[in-house]
């Protein structure tokens, strides 16, 4: 066991002192998809003392090509990504603490999740969540590392609240053409290179080295690379990180909320407050109409009206096969809330 981190300790910028520091650190990873998996595995193997990973989704067969923590068994059982990631990371390194949370990262839980962490890593796939991360990190002064990838392209940026521009400051510098992995595809090397930049920056920060002020982007297929120094692009009037910041993305919404998941022909429905749904009871109620309903540790899955429902214990529901919010609400009221 003494040699577990020996090769990393021989890397002079980390050394034994840096390794000891890593064992005391807590990293929060938002998103347990491709980037979240790659970052989480590298950090677990590097000996980070505590890793918390939060994700709202479950494992599907299409995930297995690039989300390295998951197995065919996980996909067959529709296991929650956060819980499957927790189990796999504990198997990789039993000396560290790992906690998987099968929830959505949102304004309601942001403050609690950012409490007592050293750094946050972005493993999400949408800008809505990233801007919530950005506001929360700015408000609670938590460093974080943005990352994104699609097709063969990747991008990474380290953000240190109070010192560097935040994501909102750089809105015009970021690609927002609407392409996603579901609509445009992705190859594994783009994921791995993006995660490598994120993890390296994380290790630098946690061992006392300054993070980069460069926005790094690359194309692993076309062999393109660029690095832009954004240090001077901080917006003094920014609504998310200036002295007069209002943190617009942390405003809590009341009542039922819905979101169309980009490229997935799926609508997410969230009740007004987090509930404690008895999934087993719900399964018994709908089974005569829906056929077999499958329940695991955090979710219930069933088919109804040629739509696939995935209901989590907090009441959050994904309805596949629909892209209309009003129709999704009707289906939710009819089968989940009834």
């Amino acid at each position: 066991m003494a040699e577990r981190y020996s090769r990393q300790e021989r890397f002079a910028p980390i050394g034994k002192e840096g390794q000891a520091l890593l064992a005391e650190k807590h990293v929060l990873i938002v998103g347990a998809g491709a980037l979240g998996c790659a970052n989480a595995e590298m950090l677990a193997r590097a000996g980070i003392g505590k890793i918390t990973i939060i994700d709202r989704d479950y494992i599907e067969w299409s995930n297995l090509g690039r989300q390295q923590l998951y197995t065919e068994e996980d996909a067959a059982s529709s296991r929650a990504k956060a819980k499957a990631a927790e189990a796999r990371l504990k198997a990789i390194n039993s000396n560290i603490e790992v906690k998987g949370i099968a929830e959505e990262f949102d304004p309601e839980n942001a403050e609690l999740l950012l409490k007592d962490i050293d750094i946050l890593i972005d493993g999400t796939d949408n800008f809505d969540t990233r801007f919530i991360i950005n506001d929360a990190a700015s408000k609670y002064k938590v460093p974080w590392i943005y990352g994104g990838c699609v097709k063969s392209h990747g991008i990474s940026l380290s953000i240190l609240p109070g010192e560097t521009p935040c994501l909102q400051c750089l809105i015009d510098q970021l690609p927002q053409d609407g392409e996603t992995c579901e609509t445009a595809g992705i190859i594994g090397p783009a994921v791995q290179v993006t995660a490598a930049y994120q993890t390296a920056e994380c290790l630098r920060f946690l061992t006392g080295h300054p993070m980069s002020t460069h926005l790094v982007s690359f194309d692993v297929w076309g062999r393109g690379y660029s690095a832009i120094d954004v240090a001077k692009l901080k917006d003094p009037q920014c609504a998310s990180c200036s002295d007069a910041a209002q943190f617009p993305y942390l405003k809590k919404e009341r009542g039922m909320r819905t979101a169309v998941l980009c490229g997935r022909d799926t609508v997410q429905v969230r009740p007004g407050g987090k509930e404690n749904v008895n999934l087993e009871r719900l399964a018994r109620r709908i089974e005569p109409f829906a056929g077999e309903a499958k329940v695991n540790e955090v979710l219930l899955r069933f088919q109804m009206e040629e739509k696939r429902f995935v209901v989590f214990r907090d009441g959050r529901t994904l309805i596949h096969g629909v892209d209309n919010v009003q129709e999704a609400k009707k289906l939710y009221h009819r089968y989940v809330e009834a």
Side-chain angles (χ1 to χ4, degrees):
M1 295 294 285
E3 292 193 1
R4 179 164 200 150
Y5 308 114
S6 61
R7 302 304 185 270
Q8 189 163 280
E9 290 174 348
R10 290 175 187 172
F11 178 62
I14 294 181
K16 288 185 178 295
E17 290 184 1
Q19 191 63 50
L21 286 173
L22 294 179
E24 299 173 352
K25 303 301 183 181
H26 182 186
V27 177
L28 171 64
I29 301 175
V30 180
L35 283 178
C37 283
N39 275 289
E41 179 165 343
M42 283 190 280
L43 291 172
R45 294 185 185 279
I48 300 299
K50 182 177 181 180
I51 297 172
T52 297
I53 186 164
I54 180 171
D55 190 280
R56 68 183 180 183
D57 211 348
Y58 65 98
I59 301 162
E60 300 182 88
W61 288 95
S62 62
N63 300 145
L64 300 183
R66 66 196 185 283
Q67 298 181 16
Q68 64 198 57
L69 295 179
Y70 310 133
T71 66
E72 292 184 351
E73 182 180 352
D74 293 327
S77 61
S78 298
R79 198 170 183 194
K81 289 183 178 181
K83 293 301 182 182
E86 175 186 310
R88 177 59 177 159
L89 294 171
K90 286 180 177 178
I92 288 172
N93 191 343
S94 61
N95 293 325
I96 67 173
E97 183 179 350
V98 182
K99 182 178 182 180
I101 302 173
E103 295 181 14
E104 186 172 36
F105 182 88
D106 58 28
E108 282 78 11
N109 60 20
E111 180 178 3
L112 181 61
L113 287 168
L114 268 63
K115 185 179 180 180
D116 299 326
I117 68 165
D118 295 287
I119 193 169
L120 182 154
I121 290 185
D122 166 30
T124 65
D125 61 0
N126 67 90
F127 273 94
D128 289 341
T129 306
R130 287 184 179 120
F131 283 119
I132 295 173
I133 291 172
N134 187 64
D135 273 15
S138 294
K139 182 175 182 179
Y140 302 114
K141 307 301 181 186
V142 174
W144 70 288
I145 305 171
Y146 158 68
C149 51
V150 66
K151 298 192 292 190
S152 59
H153 305 281
I155 188 169
S156 178
L157 172 71
S158 299
I159 299 173
L160 191 59
E163 296 186 25
T164 68
C166 76
L167 202 65
Q168 185 66 43
C169 293
L170 301 173
I171 189 69
D172 294 332
Q173 309 293 324
L174 302 173
Q176 297 191 63
D177 51 17
E179 290 185 320
T180 68
C181 298
E182 285 77 16
T183 60
I186 190 169
I187 56 174
V191 174
Q192 297 301 321
V193 175
T194 305
Y197 273 99
Q198 289 181 285
T199 299
E201 282 290 288
C202 181
L203 294 176
R204 283 182 61 89
F205 176 78
L206 296 179
T207 54
H209 299 279
M211 293 195 295
S212 172
T213 59
H214 286 76
L215 176 67
V216 178
S217 60
F218 48 84
D219 178 355
V220 297
W221 192 267
R223 305 188 188 95
Y225 173 86
S226 68
I228 304 170
D229 192 344
V230 298
K232 297 181 180 180
L233 298 181
K234 189 172 174 61
D235 180 1
Q237 306 298 322
C238 179
S240 296
C241 74
S242 68
D243 292 339
Q246 299 175 356
F247 311 113
Y249 294 93
L250 292 183
K251 293 180 180 178
K252 299 177 182 179
E253 300 178 24
R254 296 183 178 180
M256 177 178 287
R257 285 174 285 172
T258 58
V260 179
L261 303 191
C262 186
R264 292 181 61 180
D265 195 24
T266 300
V267 174
Q268 175 178 268
V269 180
R270 289 192 57 179
K274 291 186 178 180
E275 303 178 4
N276 185 17
V277 178
N278 187 319
L279 297 180
E280 292 75 15
R281 182 188 303 162
L282 177 58
R284 290 193 297 270
R285 177 168 63 79
I286 57 91
E287 194 162 15
F289 312 101
E292 185 179 8
K294 297 183 179 180
V295 180
N296 64 26
E297 56 189 332
V298 298
L299 61 85
L300 162 67
R301 180 183 57 175
F302 62 91
Q303 293 277 142
M304 191 77 78
E305 296 187 21
E306 299 183 349
K307 307 293 189 293
R308 179 156 48 97
F309 290 71
V310 180
V311 185
F312 293 81
R313 290 196 183 274
D314 63 0
R316 184 170 56 86
T317 301
L318 300 178
I319 305 177
H320 298 270
V322 59
D323 58 8
N324 181 281
V325 166
Q326 294 305 317
E327 181 184 357
K329 285 182 177 180
K330 290 179 182 178
L331 290 168
Y332 178 85
H333 290 309
R334 186 179 304 157
Y335 297 117
V336 179
E337 192 178 58

